[in-house]
Amino acid sequence: MAVEDERFDPHRFAPPWIKHEHTARFLFAARHVKGLTILDCACGAGVGSLAFAEAGAARVLAFDISGDAAVATRRRCQGLRVYPAVADAANLPIPSSSIDVVVSFETFEHLHHPERLLDESARVLKPGGTLICSTPDRAVYSPGHTLESRPWNRFHARE
């Protein structure tokens, strides 16, 4: 399995429940972006970035640690107010208090120090800003495993 197999892309095969789960997250967040500056942190293939732009976000900064993800997002969101870049969630290259909404779906489980994403989100959010995030449910994704055991998904550091 290549790292891009971990990334959701509606043009590649995924079980229907995975597609529905991702689509529901993007639609939920898209209800909270109109006219705002959004950071799509760990944007993957840009599916969420596209949804946010189409929902009326003033601009979407779409960051991912993968150059391939940034390229995919650029292609998917061409001509929209989406600005993809390679960036580390633990060290965001943007000014403090400059973002209205940080969206980061299914990111924390990939990080060895997830608190750094929380710290960076708090730093870049404007006063009164919003963090919208999700993480896998360990009981669903790694049933029977303890919090200390390694998740079955080799791309996850924790769940």
Side-chain angles (χ1 to χ4, degrees), residues 25-59:
R25 284 186 200 112
F26 298 139
L27 292 175
F28 170 81
R31 295 190 319 228
H32 303 279
V33 304
K34 189 173 179 87
L36 301 175
T37 298
I38 310 306
L39 169 59
D40 187 1
C41 188
C43 66
V47 179
S49 297
L50 176 63
F52 308 148
E54 290 177 339
R59 68 184 181 133

Side-chain angles (χ1 to χ4, degrees), residues 4-113:
E4 50 276 347
D5 293 333
E6 175 67 356
R7 212 172 284 128
F8 175 71
D9 186 329
H11 296 103
R12 287 198 332 254
F13 173 78
W17 67 275
I18 293 283
K19 288 185 178 190
H20 295 310
E21 190 176 65
H22 281 78
T23 300
R25 284 186 200 112
F26 298 139
L27 292 175
F28 170 81
R31 295 190 319 228
H32 303 279
V33 304
K34 189 173 179 87
L36 301 175
T37 298
I38 310 306
L39 169 59
D40 187 1
C41 188
C43 66
V47 179
S49 297
L50 176 63
F52 308 148
E54 290 177 339
R59 68 184 181 133
V60 179
L61 303 180
F63 292 171
D64 201 286
I65 197 141
S66 163
D68 291 340
V71 168
T73 300
R74 187 169 285 111
R75 282 189 198 125
R76 176 166 272 120
C77 301
Q78 191 170 1
L80 299 173
R81 299 162 312 281
V82 176
Y83 306 95
V86 175
D88 184 342
N91 189 22
L92 297 169
I94 52 179
S96 298
S97 302
S98 61
I99 301 295
D100 296 300
V101 179
V102 173
V103 179
S104 194
F105 291 138
E106 308 301 290
T107 308
F108 289 98
E109 66 273 15
H110 296 275
L111 305 175
H112 290 284
H113 301 285

Side-chain angles (χ1 to χ4, degrees), residues 137-159:
D137 182 339
R138 178 111 180 164
V140 172
Y141 285 86
S142 294
H145 290 202
T146 66
L147 287 177
E148 294 76 30
S149 62
R150 179 96 176 125
W152 71 266
N153 184 322
R154 69 183 178 106
F155 297 109
H156 293 185
R158 69 188 77 244
E159 290 172 350

